[in-house]
Amino acid sequence: MNKNEFVSNIAEILRRWEFNGCVSICKEGTTLFEGANGWAIYESQIKHSLESQFLIASVTKQFTAVCIMMLVEEGKVHLEDKLALYLPEYSYADKMTIRQMLNMMSGIPDMINDVIAEQLETDSSLDEMSDRERLVYEYNAVSRPFSLQEVLELVNDKELLFTPGDMIRYSNTNYAFLGYIVERVSGKTLNDYMTERIFAPLGMKHTCCKPEMATCPGYERTADIIYLGYGRDTSGDGCIVSTVQDLNIWLNTVLQKQLLSNDSWEQILTMVPNSDKSYWLENYGFGWDKTGEWYQHSGGDMGYITFVFLCFERGITVAICENMPSIPLDEPVGRVEFAIMECIDKFGV
């Protein structure tokens, strides 16, 4: 591989898509490309650096899954336990296991994409708003500090979407509940537990479960650039703030299967196929899905977009963080993250 040509091609992709964020690409722990592009704070024209801290949203789920597996290894949680053992307040907690929740097979409605989305559809106050006001209002409705009580209020009176174990349906509620289990069993906040057991031991110095610690706000790109602000989710489905460099420390930890036993990593990375072949999510492990040889996950909230990719066979790890969506281009790959991954394949990295 011609590294200079590879770096030049990635840089051109970021320029062409008007990428606004940071990228880190490593091979077996060695950096192949790192770049910071665009504005951390658009209004004051403060540029991104590699230390820019983004809300990584649903990429948080793989960290929450590792916390659960740490408790499993300590004998404090068992994957075949019913949720009722840890969260009896939930109406259907005796119906699903911890494993089914990790695999997105619980049938629990998604508090965001099912329940809150439905509430927004019938929210008459939206009719009085401009497009800009509506966009900001909707983002704020789904990004807030969800307490356990609030999550329960959102889903307790909603029937399960299907019999647990029958199929996969992505649900943020699964991982919000799993985060609360970590707190109840460990006696620590999610931030304290992750810091003590993951962030500090790995040297992830710019990572925490505090959305307000992001150094750049999120934006939406329409005809104008719309300021959305900072994320506020505090639960296990999407609360982590990090940098691309810290994320690559994490990805290389997964690549080397550290922190946990090989058996625990095997369970995390075992992809369960979705019996519903019409659904967009073909398979799911514990906080990961997989396409071909690539393990991956994405996260999005308040204008922030994060992608992580990992290939064990090639030793490649990729972290992409944005705080403003890239422009859509009428090209075969369409989106910037696909263009980056296509470039990695093209150069045989």
Side-chain angles (χ1 to χ4, degrees):
M1 182 193 75
N2 184 320
K3 184 176 179 180
N4 289 337
E5 189 177 354
F6 173 71
V7 169
S8 176
N9 272 255
I10 294 290
E12 172 59 18
I13 287 169
L14 302 188
R15 184 201 65 79
R16 196 162 71 249
W17 263 263
E18 295 184 18
F19 178 82
N20 202 92
C22 301
V23 177
S24 176
I25 304 170
C26 295
K27 185 176 178 69
E28 296 172 348
T30 300
T31 301
L32 296 180
F33 177 89
E34 284 184 336
N37 221 59
W39 309 111
I41 302 179
Y42 178 78
E43 294 81 3
S44 51
Q45 303 287 277
I46 296 175
K47 292 184 176 181
H48 274 298
S49 74
L50 289 172
E51 292 190 349
S52 291
Q53 291 172 272
F54 303 79
L55 181 70
I56 66 170
S58 285
V59 175
T60 297
K61 291 178 173 66
Q62 55 198 236
F63 291 86
T64 300
V66 164
C67 291
I68 291 289
M69 293 307 294
M70 287 177 169
L71 295 171
V72 168
E73 290 191 350
E74 294 168 4
K76 297 176 180 178
V77 171
H78 301 279
L79 294 178
E80 308 313 324
D81 285 343
K82 292 292 179 66
L83 174 59
L85 189 60
Y86 307 97
L87 206 69
E89 302 98 314
Y90 175 52
S91 299
Y92 297 91
D94 62 337
K95 303 296 184 184
M96 70 285 302
T97 65
I98 300 302
R99 182 186 295 277
Q100 288 167 338
M101 294 171 66
L102 286 161
N103 285 136
M104 299 291 189
M105 302 183 77
S106 71
I108 302 173
D110 187 332
M111 62 191 189
I112 294 173
N113 297 309
D114 293 328
V115 183
I116 296 178
E118 183 178 312
Q119 292 173 352
L120 287 170
E121 286 182 6
T122 60
D123 190 340
S124 59
S125 65
L126 289 169
D127 297 336
E128 309 299 323
M129 299 181 189
S130 67
D131 290 344
R132 175 189 286 264
E133 289 170 335
R134 183 182 299 111
L135 184 67
V136 173
Y137 180 85
E138 289 177 345
Y139 267 108
N140 281 313
V142 301
S143 182
R144 55 184 192 248
F146 290 102
S147 67
L148 172 57
Q149 186 57 41
E150 183 172 15
V151 176
L152 290 170
E153 288 173 0
L154 287 168
V155 300
N156 247 353
D157 64 344
K158 307 293 183 183
E159 292 185 1
L160 296 180
L161 301 179
F162 52 86
T163 301
D166 276 5
M167 65 183 70
I168 290 171
R169 282 289 183 276
Y170 192 90
S171 173
N172 287 286
T173 319
N174 285 314
Y175 279 77
F177 280 164
L178 290 167
Y180 299 131
I181 290 173
V182 172
E183 293 185 331
R184 283 191 168 181
V185 173
S186 71
K188 302 176 186 292
T189 66
L190 201 56
N191 181 67
D192 286 350
Y193 190 82
M194 286 194 185
T195 299
E196 291 174 16
R197 300 296 299 272
I198 300 175
F199 306 150
L202 295 181
M204 298 173 67
K205 298 179 180 179
H206 302 287
T207 305
C208 62
C209 298
K210 297 180 178 180
E212 70 274 13
M213 295 301 292
T215 59
C216 51
Y219 299 89
E220 185 60 75
R221 188 196 297 263
T222 60
D224 302 313
I225 304 299
I226 300 175
Y227 174 89
L228 297 175
Y230 297 83
R232 293 172 292 162
D233 186 0
T234 54
S235 55
D237 68 307
C239 64
I240 292 178
V241 165
S242 192
T243 67
V244 290
Q245 290 179 325
D246 273 11
L247 284 175
N248 241 320
I249 291 173
W250 164 250
L251 294 172
N252 277 285
T253 298
V254 180
L255 188 70
Q256 297 169 38
K257 297 183 177 177
Q258 298 174 336
L259 292 178
L260 296 168
S261 67
N262 284 335
D263 178 69
S264 291
W265 280 116
E266 183 177 348
Q267 299 208 58
I268 287 170
L269 297 166
T270 295
M271 296 294 112
V272 176
N274 194 351
S275 62
D276 183 355
K277 304 305 180 184
S278 65
Y279 189 61
W280 64 270
L281 190 59
E282 296 179 0
N283 54 57
Y284 207 77
F286 295 178
W288 293 89
D289 64 286
K290 190 181 183 189
T291 300
E293 61 184 358
W294 291 100
Y295 288 87
Q296 61 201 23
H297 210 284
S298 63
D301 187 16
M302 294 296 284
Y304 299 98
I305 304 171
T306 297
F307 294 92
V308 292
F309 299 91
L310 168 67
C311 179
F312 284 95
E313 291 80 3
R314 291 153 63 180
I316 305 296
T317 57
V318 183
I320 304 170
C321 290
E322 304 173 73
N323 64 323
M324 181 190 302
S326 296
I327 60 171
L329 293 179
D330 187 18
E331 299 190 12
V333 290
R335 288 162 33 184
V336 66
E337 69 274 12
F338 296 150
I340 291 170
M341 300 309 292
E342 184 181 68
C343 185
I344 289 171
D345 286 337
K346 172 184 174 183
F347 280 85
V349 174

